[in-house]
Amino acid sequence: MIRARELTKHFQVHKRPPGFVSAMKSLFHRTYETVKAVDGVSFTIERGERVGFLGPNGAGKTTTLKVLSGLLHPTSGEVEVEGHVPFKRETELLERITLVMGQKSQLIWDLPPSETYAMNRAVFDVPKAAFEKTLAELTELLELAPLLDKPTRQLSLGERMKCELAAALLHRPTTLFLDEPTIGLDVAMQVAIRDFVRSYNQRHEATVLLTSHYMDDVVALCPRIIVIDRGVLIHDGDLRQLIKAMDPDKRVSFTITTGTPPTDEELGKLGTLVTREAQRITLKVTEAQLPGVIGHLLNLKAADLAIEDPPLEDVLRVMFGQSKAKANGPGTGA
Amino acid sequence: MSAARTLRALPTLLRIGVAETVAYRAEFLVWILTTTLPLVMLGLWTSVASEAPFRGYTSAAFVAYYLSNLIVRNLTGSWVAWQISEEIRLGAMSMRLLRPLHPYVAFAASHLAAIPFRSVVVLPIAIVLLVSSGASALTTEPLQLGLLVPSRALAWIITCNRLFMIGAVAFFGTKTMALMNLYFALFSLLSGYLLPIPLLPRAIGWFAEWLPFRFMLSAPIELMTRPLDGAQVAAIMLGQIGWAAATLALALVVWNRGIKKFEAVGG
């Protein structure tokens, strides 16, 4: 279980304008600004949950993950992970958690990944049989075999990320903090990683807290999402309910392959035109209008008909826009 | 992490330390050659003492001193401060802190593994030269000879502790290179690295007798090259044990305070 109560993390940041004079002045007098990276965030995540942790750049997602994994001491508030206070970095906790950061490597740079794996086995005291079984499983799933003996520095970003994920899971942690775990991976490998994380979560009843800029990762993996902006929690709940609350209209996509294509004006009578690319058209349609629109499209012999929720990206864009307007307050303008 | 578990992990950590050391062959060879400053000083001082002993040091005594210096320096070197400072500055320390192994143990094991390789070229040459040219100035006392290995081990531990502490200062200010340069200047002067402590000006020499620098380098050299009575030997060993304990305690205090300031930059 993960629990954060009124968690805050502030940083003192040295501010200096560009230029030689400012550089010289900063030798004698420095101006610091307090940045509230995380500001009073509270949530509880039960064991075995998969939760997406979303927010724009600089929202405080990674800082929160670093506090939860014990790298940062919180400025105030309480944090508990698997019954431990993370910043105490007790062995019992470190054995149960892992943090994968797409931008940071735990692999030993000059040696092949297999050496990092051997070191992790020794440090986490993983029995040899369990280690070999887990490594074999990860090697097969992530297609690591050709990479294990190449120096890490010679791996591509995607190859390195696969090896990072394996290094992070060799000790079979029960809490996974995944910060952009699919960054740099091709689409097929992104899908493979998602499948693997879901399967790992189900087999080991592992708790997963995931940040990703690929919304497909979040939609595919996380029934629940926590949204944070400017260090403040702005949503915590079911992903579909959020989408429904923010934008209840459906996206209806179809292709016209026969007859005269409808004009934009005709489409406007069915719903709001979202995109029109060659013969493929997407409309935004209210739930009440949906049966009538579908019937009409079938009469038009529309092909490849698809009815979907609005993309999470669009929902979040609206949400962050509202959050920004609220933060700026009335009358401040954009 | 328990001591038993650390010991179980140690062989793997040492093996990986060796692999890291030899990963870059060209850099490795250049690095070996950078440890030869005592040979430069040897040339200088043997020239000074060629006509007559200089303040009691004969030419053979200087040969014995500086070759012993080279051997001890190669067996006790550490560069942990640079590593810690860089890892904090670039954010790599985060991944290290996620492992259930104190970074002190991880760094120490890595450096311990590198020592034999660091010494692989210089050490045999130094030993041959020492035996052929400076043997007359070497001790033959069984007690002193018996204490050489523990004394070098303690010298390495004090060095590691000092540098670990300096590295941990980076938690407070991110970069510690200036502090490292100051430290190295003091070390060079007060440890006997540049010249034997008895040749220092009296006041500086008195301080050097008590400061930890002497116990990081000069102490094992003194055991190798100076005739010492039992009390002097005991003072050297007790001084090393005391400084090893004190510097370890200090290093861990700085580390534990510093880690609360860690900003885990990057990522």
Side-chain angles (χ1 to χ4, degrees), chain A residues 66 89 91 95 110 115 125, chain B residues 5 8 24 97 264 266:
Chain A
K66 285 175 178 173
R89 300 181 56 251
T91 300
E95 283 174 346
D110 297 320
E115 295 285 27
D125 208 18
Chain B
R5 201 166 142 176
R8 276 201 300 279
Y24 285 105
L97 291 175

Side-chain angles (χ1 to χ4, degrees), chain B residues 49-235:
Chain B
S50 60
E51 301 280 319
F54 179 80
R55 291 174 63 181
Y57 277 82
T58 62
S59 190
F62 276 121
V63 170
Y65 182 85
Y66 281 110
L67 290 176
S68 303
N69 185 328
L70 183 65
I71 292 167
V72 174
R73 179 77 178 136
N74 270 278
L75 292 174
T76 59
S78 177
W79 52 101
V80 67
W82 282 278
Q83 272 184 302
I84 293 177
S85 177
E86 280 305 280
E87 288 196 8
I88 290 173
R89 192 172 69 84
L90 300 173
M93 182 59 73
S94 298
M95 304 318 290
R96 191 180 286 280
L97 291 175
L98 290 168
R99 295 189 179 116
L101 176 73
H102 197 289
Y104 180 90
V105 177
F107 282 120
S110 161
H111 290 200
L112 202 56
I115 284 174
F117 293 88
R118 192 180 161 105
S119 312
V120 75
V121 175
V122 173
L123 217 53
I125 298 169
I127 289 170
V128 168
L129 285 174
L130 188 57
V131 171
S132 60
S133 311
S136 61
L138 289 175
T139 186
T140 52
E141 283 297 316
L143 176 65
Q144 288 176 233
L145 290 173
L147 287 171
L148 282 180
V149 171
S151 176
R152 277 179 208 155
L154 285 163
W156 177 75
I157 290 169
I158 301 168
T159 305
C160 216
N161 294 345
R162 294 297 303 264
L163 292 175
F164 189 82
M165 187 200 76
I166 291 171
V169 172
F171 282 124
F172 300 92
T174 309
K175 287 185 84 171
T176 56
M177 285 306 104
L179 186 60
M180 192 60 219
N181 290 338
L182 174 66
Y183 160 81
F184 191 70
L186 290 172
F187 170 83
S188 299
L189 182 68
L190 300 171
S191 69
Y193 186 50
L194 288 179
L195 71 168
I197 289 173
L199 299 187
L200 290 172
R202 188 178 297 273
I204 298 174
W206 187 86
F207 279 111
E209 290 287 323
W210 298 101
L211 290 172
F213 302 104
R214 173 189 171 210
F215 299 95
M216 294 157 68
L217 185 76
S218 180
I221 300 174
E222 289 169 35
L223 287 176
M224 285 173 83
T225 60
R226 279 170 61 177
L228 303 168
D229 60 32
Q232 288 172 313
V233 171

